[in-house]
Amino acid sequence: MFELLLTLTTISLLDSMSAVPIALIPLAIILNGRTPLTGAISFISGGFIVYFIFGLLILLGLDNLIDKYAEQFISYMKSEPDCVELIIQIIIGFIMIYFAWQFSRRAPQDSNTRSYDTDIKPVQAFLLSASINIIGMWGALPYFAAMAQILKADLETASMIWILVYYNLVFALPLIGFILLRIMMGERAAVVLGKMTDFFSHWGKQVIVLSLYLLGPLLIADGIGWFTGYPILNFTE
């Protein structure tokens, strides 16, 4: 059992490190908002509950169902797109370019002039965290590896559940550290978190704009390429 917990601790921390850069931006905004502690706890709880439920479903046999639909998804991705799908892809490409243009026009605010119009309420924080984890679940390879280790141990249901709780608690530790920082530093933490929010908001925005400007034209060119016989993203071979 000790070896299993040690392995899961390592996997969980690695899993958490991959999620921290994504979660840090909204968490910093929440901790610098009107309800920092309640909002942050709600944010972490949203991810914890989604991760726990999904892990529980895997341990109880959903993995077979996932494998079945994964095969169907792969088969669909390898089939050639039809006319309607290509038109939708081209429209999405133009929408991406439009949003990139809109984002690039907005002037950033620093921590001295920022208003709290975008303050995240606890319920919104919970739903935001849950949504982030649901969307990113299919790429959470460390989590699937951890579930495989638990299944391989051939434990009773009760043991699997508390080990799953342990994994999720370890996963949340880095984010819990920011809550402790806010508690220990009090209002002084607002300055630190404000600078962190400014930094990630600015550079996160630049990354989003650049990604949209790259992906938009790519989708448009690929959609037109399918019509002309020269697709760029061809996964059917």
Side-chain angles (χ1 to χ4, degrees):
M1 180 65 71
F2 176 77
E3 291 79 4
L4 175 62
L5 291 177
L6 184 60
T7 301
L8 293 178
T9 300
T10 304
I11 296 176
S12 183
L13 289 175
L14 290 174
D15 193 12
S16 180
M17 289 300 102
S18 66
V20 165
I22 299 174
L24 187 56
I25 298 175
L27 184 60
I29 295 174
I30 292 168
L31 287 173
N32 202 31
R34 294 192 183 98
T35 55
L37 298 183
T38 306
I41 292 173
S42 298
F43 182 81
I44 293 176
S45 297
F48 181 94
I49 291 175
V50 167
Y51 242 35
F52 177 78
I53 292 176
F54 195 80
L56 195 60
L57 291 174
I58 292 177
L59 295 180
L60 294 179
L62 186 62
D63 54 329
N64 295 326
L65 186 61
I66 292 174
D67 290 340
K68 174 184 175 182
Y69 284 102
E71 292 177 1
Q72 295 180 1
F73 177 76
I74 293 172
S75 176
Y76 168 77
M77 291 299 294
K78 288 185 177 180
S79 63
E80 292 190 5
D82 56 33
C83 181
V84 175
E85 291 172 339
L86 292 174
I87 292 175
I88 293 175
Q89 175 178 312
I90 293 173
I91 292 174
I92 291 175
F94 280 111
I95 292 174
M96 285 184 171
I97 295 175
Y98 172 76
F99 276 109
W101 176 65
Q102 287 291 327
F103 280 136
S104 63
R105 292 178 59 198
R106 297 177 183 175
Q109 292 181 306
D110 60 29
S111 57
N112 295 322
T113 61
R114 183 193 300 109
S115 66
Y116 288 95
D117 294 338
T118 57
D119 191 46
I120 302 176
K121 297 179 176 62
V123 174
Q124 295 172 327
F126 181 91
L127 295 175
L128 174 61
S129 178
S131 301
I132 292 174
N133 278 271
I134 291 173
I135 294 172
M137 184 63 68
W138 305 107
L141 297 180
Y143 196 64
F144 288 108
M147 296 305 101
Q149 293 297 319
I150 296 175
L151 287 171
K152 189 169 64 176
D154 194 23
L155 302 171
E156 295 182 356
T157 302
S159 298
M160 289 195 299
I161 291 176
W162 79 259
I163 289 179
L164 184 61
V165 171
Y166 170 80
Y167 180 94
N168 284 276
L169 285 174
V170 175
F171 176 84
L173 279 180
L175 298 180
I176 293 175
F178 287 98
I179 297 180
L180 296 177
L181 175 67
R182 182 67 170 81
I183 294 174
M184 290 186 295
M185 295 186 63
E187 293 302 321
R188 292 178 299 168
V191 178
V192 178
L193 293 169
K195 292 183 181 298
M196 290 173 58
T197 304
D198 290 336
F199 177 83
F200 285 107
S201 295
H202 174 74
W203 290 107
K205 174 184 173 183
Q206 301 302 319
V207 171
I208 292 174
V209 170
L210 179 61
S211 299
L212 291 174
Y213 271 132
L214 290 174
L215 290 175
L218 177 63
L219 291 179
I220 295 171
D222 179 63
I224 296 174
W226 277 101
F227 283 116
T228 59
Y230 297 97
I232 298 175
L233 305 174
N234 187 358
F235 303 111
T236 62
E237 298 177 354

